Amino acid sequence: MYSRFQLNRKGKEVPDVLLALEKAARAPNIHKVDLQQAFGWDNWSAFRTVYGRCGGEDSSATPDSDADMSIRIVDAESTARFMTSVFEVDAIVKMLTVLLEFANGLQAKFKLSHEHIASKLSKGINSLPEELLTKIFQFAVWGEGRNGGKQAVRLSHVCRSFRGIALEKPGLWTTLFSGASETQLETFISRGGPNQEYHAFLHFNPLINRHGQRLFSSICRPIIPRWKSLTLSQEYQDYYEDRASIGGVAWAMREFVEFLIKEGLQLPILEEMHIDGDDDDYYRDVPDIEDYDWASNLRVFRCSYFLPDLSPNLTSVSTFVLTQRFRGYSHPPTLKPIFDSLLAMPNLSSFDLELYDSDNTASDSERPWLLCPTITSFRLRLRNFDIFDFRFQAEDSCITILMDTLRMPSLEQVSISVGAKEMIHLKDKLKSEANSNKWSRSLFKLSSTLLPKHFSDSTKMMSLSCKLECGDYADSCLTYVPPAEMGLFNIPLERILHIRSVTVSSFVPVFFVQDPGDGGIPSSIISESCQLREFNFIECENMTSVDLEGTVDSLESLGVWKHIERVTVQGSNHLVYDEALDVIGKEKLQFLR
């Protein structure tokens, strides 16, 4: 909403006021907006112009100092500003008066129908079984995360029947947030009762810092052993301006663990822990946590941007989800915390890893293999990845060292995605032949890095998913770079001989090739040993019939195409059914829009 409108002589902008109001009224969270604050005088340009709230003028004036306005207006410029604001406010009041008149009339016209419809809906809701309503309420509470307690309160205020159901169901009051008041926390714990499992959200705020956290821990002390999940998060940190509060979740976690040790507490049913750090927080000089004996049944461990030093006793963890950024400034990044964490989880079955800037050079020297024999599912997501210059730092990059070091012989499912960096400039870079060759070599090196030779030792691998996307500039990439200049993404087939299903989403054509290294397997042996039976092109928006034919030809040259049973093509903007049918054939093709 704007409080100032530049009207031309015909007043064409006036109807836009109504459009702006209707748009604001349709906002999904309008009921949460503090209208008193949103429409306060400080937000009016007319007010700021007159009372010096902008332009570096005196901001000490208040709307109560009207008696002094004639004294302050001493020249032509200030007089013009004042009179403009007066006329502007008069016009706003006039428009609002008319708007309010029509809005009240429309509201009255809707009232009777609204009451009838609301009555029908109320009867419909009341006719639902209480068990179903309880489930609906529970999903509504869970969907709000740390604000689940507030959602439970809202539901209990809808009507008498809703309140009765909410108060009778202890499971709706099991969200405990450190930002809640002492009274709210005590109320939720009381309504949750003595047998419920709780979900705790400990949020680090520099303003309340340790006192608030200790109060939260003290209030929750009786039911801490019944925490089912724990999430630690922090306010946004600026490394230079908020130096004193650096390491938010790290300090919060340390404080909490010390509280547990001091009180002799355990979390025997805690199954999931999420540490949500901040991308701009460096977490230096943060005290380590020695052990996690207090969480003996932890199953899922999630970390974002902060990864604590883990002692090798997390034997119960089966799922590890990590988001990390590799900074390439004065301190070269290291993969040691990731490797140490994997060593601390000897029974891990699912590893989900999201990395930013993993093309940066790592400080790690060459290290021995890291055997992870229990991992069956590996999901790797690379963000902000510089494909164009990857060839020059590939050997010492974080991603190369990671893929060369990890050994996961029990892998069954692998999913890899790459979000390319600065693709909007690719067209200009590819104008020269040298850059075009450089781009092609970098793509080739990337595929070899992401699908290392030792993948062939993972004989249990059943499926592979590869996604190559243009990052934040997908539309620009696909619009401005001609398909003929996009290069190729090559998949060395002999490294994935045991896989039955491959799914690819790529903005460049995909070819299957023999391993370029020495001692490659002859194509005749590849043909006999390859288990590939299903191939899926999903959202390959830039793919043409020529690209599809090239993929098929690459499989035919290796003697594998004859074994393919099904090819799925879905979401390809430049490919129609008849073209795909000519290339694939009716027996194998599954074409989806």
Side-chain angles (χ1 to χ4, degrees):
M1 282 259 332
Y2 296 95
S3 60
R4 185 175 186 177
F5 300 94
Q6 299 295 329
L7 304 179
N8 63 17
R9 284 177 293 181
K10 294 183 179 181
K12 290 183 178 179
E13 290 83 355
V14 173
D16 292 341
V17 179
L18 179 59
L19 293 176
L21 279 172
E22 291 177 328
K23 183 177 180 181
R26 288 192 295 267
N29 294 317
I30 185 63
H31 63 284
K32 298 181 180 180
V33 176
D34 185 347
L35 297 180
Q36 292 288 337
Q37 181 179 358
F39 296 136
W41 281 342
D42 283 353
N43 295 324
W44 291 53
S45 62
F47 174 81
R48 295 197 306 270
T49 298
V50 173
Y51 285 93
R53 296 298 176 94
C54 60
E57 299 179 17
D58 176 28
S59 60
S60 62
T62 67
D64 297 327
S65 57
D66 292 339
D68 298 326
M69 287 307 301
S70 61
I71 299 175
R72 297 185 60 196
I73 301 173
V74 296
D75 54 25
E77 182 182 354
S78 59
T79 299
R81 285 204 309 268
F82 178 75
M83 296 306 294
T84 298
S85 295
V86 170
F87 294 146
E88 189 174 289
V89 173
D90 288 345
I92 291 174
V93 171
K94 184 177 180 180
M95 285 187 288
L96 289 179
T97 300
V98 177
L99 272 171
L100 185 60
E101 179 183 351
F102 279 100
N104 286 333
L106 192 57
Q107 186 182 54
K109 188 176 182 64
F110 285 167
K111 185 176 181 180
L112 183 60
S113 299
H114 172 259
E115 290 176 351
H116 289 164
I117 294 173
S119 177
K120 292 179 181 179
L121 291 176
S122 177
K123 291 179 181 178
I125 292 176
N126 290 332
S127 67
L128 294 176
E130 186 174 309
E131 294 77 9
L132 180 57
L133 271 178
T134 302
K135 284 293 184 182
I136 294 173
F137 287 1
Q138 189 69 76
F139 287 134
V141 170
W142 288 344
E144 291 295 315
R146 70 187 190 187
N147 293 318
K150 290 184 179 180
Q151 182 73 313
V153 171
R154 295 190 196 105
L155 289 170
S156 69
H157 288 174
V158 171
C159 61
R160 186 175 300 173
S161 62
F162 275 29
R163 182 171 179 80
I165 294 174
L167 295 180
E168 290 175 3
K169 303 303 175 183
L172 295 177
W173 306 97
T174 57
T175 301
L176 305 176
F177 175 41
S178 62
S181 67
E182 183 176 351
T183 302
Q184 286 176 325
L185 289 172
E186 292 173 345
T187 300
F188 294 163
I189 293 173
S190 174
R191 291 179 178 177
N195 302 315
Q196 289 299 310
E197 298 172 343
Y198 289 85
H199 305 277
F201 293 82
L202 206 167
H203 185 69
F204 179 88
N205 186 329
L207 298 178
I208 60 174
N209 205 345
R210 295 171 182 171
H211 172 71
Q213 179 175 324
R214 289 168 183 167
L215 178 62
F216 174 72
S217 300
S218 298
I219 295 173
C220 295
R221 188 194 184 287
I223 49 90
I224 282 180
R226 286 188 277 123
W227 283 6
K228 190 67 172 290
S229 67
L230 171 61
T231 299
L232 295 101
S233 57
Q234 71 182 83
E235 293 289 298
Y236 169 78
Q237 303 291 310
D238 186 292
Y239 181 73
Y240 297 101
E241 296 181 8
D242 299 328
R243 184 73 182 245
S245 55
I246 287 298
V249 292
W251 285 106
M253 189 168 184
R254 181 67 183 182
E255 287 278 323
F256 179 67
V257 173
E258 288 180 352
F259 176 83
L260 293 179
I261 295 174
K262 179 182 177 181
E263 299 293 327
L265 295 173
Q266 298 281 319
L267 281 77
I269 67 169
L270 187 72
E271 291 189 356
E272 182 170 347
M273 183 160 63
H274 183 189
I275 305 176
D276 189 8
D278 191 275
D279 181 25
D280 289 327
D281 198 328
Y282 278 61
Y283 299 104
R284 294 175 186 162
D285 304 321
V286 175
D288 298 333
I289 299 171
E290 296 178 358
D291 62 65
Y292 290 79
D293 290 336
W294 45 271
S296 57
N297 287 306
L298 192 65
R299 298 286 186 270
V300 180
F301 193 50
R302 302 174 184 271
C303 294
S304 299
Y305 304 112
F306 169 68
L307 182 59
D309 290 332
L310 303 176
S311 57
N313 63 348
L314 292 176
T315 56
S316 60
V317 175
S318 59
T319 299
F320 182 33
V321 182
L322 173 64
T323 298
Q324 195 71 293
R325 181 180 293 279
F326 290 121
R327 302 182 184 274
Y329 307 135
S330 57
H331 297 273
T334 175
L335 289 100
K336 186 177 184 301
I338 298 179
F339 294 147
D340 289 346
S341 298
L342 291 173
L343 288 171
M345 305 175 192
N347 296 314
L348 197 65
S349 61
S350 177
F351 184 26
D352 188 325
L353 183 60
E354 182 178 33
L355 300 176
Y356 286 80
D357 304 317
S358 60
D359 53 286
N360 281 332
T361 301
S363 60
D364 304 82
S365 57
E366 187 175 346
R367 59 176 293 140
W369 299 347
L370 176 60
L371 184 63
C372 303
T374 60
I375 295 179
T376 58
S377 175
F378 178 48
R379 185 183 182 193
L380 176 65
R381 291 166 290 164
L382 306 183
R383 301 288 180 256
N384 200 39
F385 194 91
D386 189 354
I387 296 179
F388 193 79
D389 289 323
F390 178 64
R391 184 177 66 90
F392 296 100
Q393 59 228 30
E395 300 305 326
D396 299 319
S397 69
C398 295
I399 185 59
T400 300
I401 293 175
L402 174 75
M403 299 305 291
D404 284 347
T405 302
L406 291 183
R407 293 295 193 276
M408 299 171 284
S410 299
L411 272 181
E412 297 176 4
Q413 298 176 333
V414 177
S415 175
I416 299 174
S417 66
V418 182
K421 178 181 180 181
E422 295 182 353
M423 294 298 293
I424 195 171
H425 304 297
L426 184 60
K427 180 180 179 181
D428 294 332
K429 289 183 178 180
L430 294 181
K431 287 181 179 179
S432 71
E433 183 177 353
N435 278 343
S436 181
N437 292 333
K438 175 183 173 183
W439 168 253
S440 297
R441 289 194 296 269
S442 293
L443 277 175
F444 190 83
K445 186 63 180 178
L446 176 63
S447 62
S448 299
T449 299
L450 298 179
L451 301 171
K453 288 184 178 181
H454 61 76
F455 264 28
S456 61
D457 298 330
S458 301
T459 57
K460 298 180 181 180
M461 201 181 305
M462 296 294 293
S463 66
L464 169 68
S465 174
C466 291
K467 186 174 184 178
L468 191 63
E469 54 187 345
C470 301
D472 295 333
Y473 304 103
D475 293 338
S476 299
C477 170
L478 299 178
T479 301
Y480 296 116
V481 181
E485 300 177 7
M486 295 297 283
L488 299 174
F489 185 77
N490 295 296
I491 298 179
L493 189 58
E494 60 203 82
R495 300 184 184 184
I496 56 170
L497 289 176
H498 305 288
I499 294 179
R500 290 187 59 85
S501 174
V502 172
T503 299
V504 170
S505 177
S506 172
F507 62 87
V508 300
V510 177
F511 277 36
F512 289 89
V513 298
Q514 287 180 276
D515 194 325
D518 294 334
I521 301 176
S523 57
S524 58
I525 297 180
I526 292 178
S527 176
E528 296 173 2
S529 305
C530 184
Q531 300 297 312
L532 185 62
R533 297 296 181 267
E534 180 180 327
F535 193 82
N536 307 302
F537 290 101
I538 307 298
E539 295 181 358
C540 294
E541 300 180 13
N542 222 28
M543 186 174 66
T544 65
S545 60
V546 175
D547 301 330
L548 183 61
E549 188 173 1
T551 303
V552 172
D553 288 345
S554 68
L555 289 169
E556 283 185 334
S557 67
L558 296 172
V560 175
W561 177 248
K562 59 186 177 183
H563 301 307
I564 300 297
E565 298 172 357
R566 185 173 65 179
V567 177
T568 300
V569 179
Q570 181 177 3
S572 298
N573 296 337
H574 303 296
L575 189 64
V576 298
Y577 173 76
D578 290 340
E579 294 175 335
L581 186 64
D582 290 341
V583 177
I584 304 299
K586 187 175 182 179
E587 297 79 11
K588 298 181 179 181
L589 177 63
Q590 183 177 16
F591 191 86
L592 304 172
R593 273 300 178 189

